[in-house]
Amino acid sequence: MRNMSLRRKLLLGALAVAVVGGVVAVPATSDTAYADIQAVRSTLTGADGKDYWVENHVDTDAVDSTREALADQGKRPEYLVVWAGDENVADTVVPDVKNLPGSLANTTEKVRNALPGPDFMAVVDATQGSPTYGKVVNTATVGPLVENEPHHMQYSWRKGDKIYAGGLYSAATYVFDVAKLPALSLSGISLPSQTLCGSVPDAYWVLNDGTAYGTYMGGPAVPGPCTYTNGEVRTGNGFAGTPGAVVRFGPDGKNLVEAPAATTTAEDPKQCLDMPSLGKPSCANPHGIQVREDLNAMVTSDYAEPRTIILDPVKAPSPYLRRPTVRTWDISDLNHPKVKAVSYLPEGPRSSATDPLHNENRAVMETTVTNLPGHRGAFAMTMQGGAIFYTPDITSDNPVWKEVFDNTAAMKLIDPAVTNGGPSDNGGWLQTSTDDTKPDQPGRHEALPRGDRPQAGRARQGRPGYRGWRVHPRHLAAGRRRRRLRLLDPDQGRDRERRRGRGLPVGAGARRDQPGLEGQRPALGCAGQPRDR
């Protein structure tokens, strides 16, 4: 997250209106720099009369050439959708200051890109054999909010799903319709006034009925008691603080339920430091989220009290603001999700009281569930700690988590020259393969031979004959995060109750000034394999 003053965040958090009405597609009013770019805006009108929109910039020449080429090959288009942030002075000032006196080269570009511009969805042609393969073919900018700080979307996409995308700083959740890719339309938007008990939306999980759960990592908009949808009350320390919430959204962006991530009892006061402190300490800052509807179970991972990272992204005021906890939920009533257990991950063999920030269990960024009907396990991965943990049963009243892989040990074996090891390398994203044979951590170490993988042990499911998972020492390379989803043809694949495509992980962003394509449908199912439920 880029550095930003708390006052500025609070002002952004106060931007709130209720959204009403439908979606209107109109020609965009802004000028385009290219004659072959078609600009079309999809707009939602708010109750205050303000409009919220996504404006497509589609490259008609690219559309025509791609359609012709694929028609000859008998293929349908495939697209990668990237939720990306505008680069401006907030991204460049720190490295510029560090490099003083530096160079005066490219000053024109720096000045031109200094002010905040619109964030955007970049639609990339991912069809092999296409003449525009790997090119940004539509830049769909959102407005009028800027500095959303685009972060995550859902983990996977299937036929008929909308895309849910969050802005950390704006506390807004956007819902996009992708039925006519490469063009997008805006189906809904949720603003801070609609999620008063939570802020800093992070990740999403789309349910079988097309609704979605989203994690709101930060605390209520205003410090003090907050009443959730079902009448429960928790006391928080304010916007981007603690405790966070889980929100269920409709495909139109409507807030169906806002549920507390904090329990009614105090959590460990040492492990769960809050700033300012709360009468009932809590580590409830949910980041990652995964769901098993067949088990009526949900897992969320607590990362950190988010505003402490914004105020000092280099060094947190205390290591205990990075969370060591995972929450398992009962979702038998989808509109009343309840925290069933709060589990503290074990510290691990290399943990030290002299460096608690890098204990293996510190800052639980992501979690991933197993997929096969007979399996009930889940993995969790820490960012500061750089380790992977596993529990065999997320339906248990008290799940037992064990460390099964250490990124730091792997990094030292792979490259002894690396001094930081696994911790703090953004090694926090993982997914389980659809056949439950391994969790997948996209990143730098894919070439490591199986026999050379340190501590690549197997986690057992707790029943005879089960082979378990082999953990791969691959983790996400450092860098600013962009969430990508690969969307394929909605006319193919299994029925939506059983089809769950695997979305691609974070990667490099795209430039806002690149153009894009025109009205087609997604092509062929989804990246990866279908996830059966």
Side-chain angles (χ1 to χ4, degrees):
M1 288 187 278
R2 70 180 72 134
N3 195 4
M4 188 181 203
S5 71
L6 178 59
R7 181 167 180 257
R8 188 178 178 194
K9 284 200 66 179
L10 290 171
L11 288 172
L12 284 172
L15 293 173
V17 294
V19 174
V20 298
V23 177
V24 180
V26 298
T29 57
S30 61
D31 294 330
T32 56
Y34 306 93
D36 55 343
I37 301 302
Q38 182 183 55
V40 178
R41 178 178 291 187
S42 168
T43 302
L44 283 165
T45 303
D48 62 349
K50 294 181 180 179
D51 290 338
Y52 295 85
W53 64 81
V54 57
E55 183 176 306
N56 296 277
H57 300 85
V58 294
D59 187 337
T60 54
D61 285 352
V63 169
D64 293 340
S65 62
T66 298
R67 283 176 175 169
E68 292 174 4
L70 296 183
D72 294 339
Q73 301 175 40
K75 291 183 178 181
R76 294 176 67 89
E78 298 178 8
Y79 297 106
L80 199 66
V81 178
V82 184
W83 180 217
D86 171 67
E87 183 180 73
N88 53 56
V89 68
D91 302 287
T92 60
V93 65
V94 173
D96 285 350
V97 170
K98 284 184 176 180
N99 295 327
L100 287 176
S103 170
L104 294 178
N106 299 320
T107 53
T108 302
E109 285 294 318
K110 286 184 180 293
V111 171
R112 186 173 68 177
N113 293 320
L115 295 178
D119 299 316
F120 58 100
M121 284 283 194
V123 182
V124 181
D125 184 352
T127 312
Q128 293 190 11
S130 167
T132 55
Y133 178 74
K135 302 288 182 63
V136 176
V137 293
N138 179 20
T139 300
T141 56
V142 297
L145 299 179
V146 296
E147 294 289 287
N148 288 277
E149 186 65 15
H151 200 54
H152 291 307
M153 299 184 279
Q154 65 257 44
Y155 296 82
S156 56
W157 179 90
R158 59 191 172 186
K159 178 183 176 181
D161 282 352
K162 303 295 177 65
I163 288 182
Y164 296 79
L168 292 180
Y169 291 171
S170 65
T173 289
Y174 296 85
V175 185
F176 298 97
D177 190 322
V178 292
K180 296 182 180 180
L181 279 179
L184 291 84
S185 60
L186 190 61
S187 295
I189 184 171
S190 174
L191 291 139
S193 62
Q194 298 161 276
T195 55
L196 291 175
C197 291
S199 57
V200 191
D202 195 275
Y204 303 86
W205 183 275
V206 181
L207 301 169
N208 288 331
D209 63 1
T211 63
Y213 283 132
T215 53
Y216 274 57
M217 188 164 51
V222 179
C226 193
T227 302
Y228 295 80
T229 306
N230 294 304
E232 299 178 77
V233 178
R234 303 288 188 274
T235 298
N237 59 15
F239 190 90
T242 304
V246 167
V247 181
R248 186 185 181 200
F249 293 105
D252 57 358
K254 181 181 178 181
N255 179 353
L256 302 177
V257 64
E258 189 172 11
T263 59
T264 57
T265 58
E267 298 175 21
D268 187 329
K270 179 180 179 181
Q271 297 293 328
C272 303
L273 180 65
D274 307 303
M275 293 181 65
S277 61
L278 296 170
K280 292 182 179 179
S282 177
C283 279
N285 299 110
H287 183 285
I289 180 172
Q290 298 258 310
V291 172
R292 284 286 300 270
E293 287 190 73
D294 58 326
L295 301 178
N296 292 321
M298 177 169 71
V299 186
T300 60
S301 51
D302 296 320
Y303 173 56
E305 190 170 80
R307 66 178 169 216
T308 59
I309 302 174
I310 299 165
L311 294 174
D312 190 344
V314 178
K315 183 179 180 181
S318 168
Y320 299 107
L321 291 162
R322 303 290 201 269
R323 308 310 193 190
T325 47
V326 177
R327 293 166 199 270
T328 47
W329 301 63
D330 176 1
I331 58 167
S332 53
D333 181 350
L334 293 178
N335 270 338
H336 197 177
K338 296 178 290 186
V339 175
K340 188 175 181 179
V342 179
S343 303
Y344 293 81
L345 298 181
E347 289 188 343
R350 63 173 169 80
S351 294
S352 167
T354 60
D355 186 18
L357 180 62
H358 293 129
N359 288 352
E360 284 100 314
N361 64 351
R362 192 63 60 193
V364 194
M365 179 160 282
E366 290 290 351
T367 182
T368 182
V369 295
T370 54
N371 301 297
L372 298 182
H375 299 167
R376 297 171 180 262
F379 292 87
M381 189 172 183
T382 55
M383 180 176 169
Q384 299 290 161
I388 299 175
F389 299 80
Y390 172 75
T391 183
D393 190 359
I394 59 173
T395 66
S396 169
D397 290 340
N398 293 289
V400 176
W401 294 81
K402 294 184 178 180
E403 182 178 348
V404 295
F405 188 80
D406 187 347
N407 281 354
T408 300
M411 178 62 80
K412 290 180 178 178
L413 185 85
I414 294 163
D415 186 359
V418 174
T419 57
N420 191 37
S424 300
D425 61 0
N426 281 356
W429 194 94
L430 80 169
Q431 287 290 282
T432 313
S433 60
T434 54
D435 60 358
D436 288 351
T437 59
K438 58 182 176 293
D440 184 30
Q441 304 174 68
R444 298 186 290 214
H445 312 313
E446 299 181 9
L448 189 66
R450 180 178 293 274
D452 293 337
R453 290 174 180 151
Q455 301 184 18
R458 295 181 181 273
R460 298 197 173 274
Q461 186 70 12
R463 63 184 181 86
Y466 181 72
R467 296 184 62 189
W469 294 267
R470 179 172 292 275
V471 180
H472 286 216
R474 297 181 289 175
H475 56 274
L476 181 67
R480 190 173 177 191
R481 297 165 67 86
R482 304 286 193 273
R483 179 66 57 143
R484 304 184 296 176
L485 288 179
R486 191 176 185 181
L487 306 185
L488 312 169
D489 190 356
D491 296 325
Q492 298 195 23
R494 307 176 185 179
D495 77 320
R496 84 178 261 114
E497 293 293 328
R498 294 180 55 79
R499 180 88 176 170
R500 171 74 67 174
R502 179 66 66 194
L504 293 182
V506 289
R511 290 182 48 158
R512 179 168 55 88
D513 57 0
Q514 291 190 7
L517 280 176
E518 177 204 359
Q520 258 176 331
R521 299 173 66 81
L524 279 179
C526 203
Q529 301 297 318
R531 166 180 277 187
D532 290 341
R533 289 297 188 200

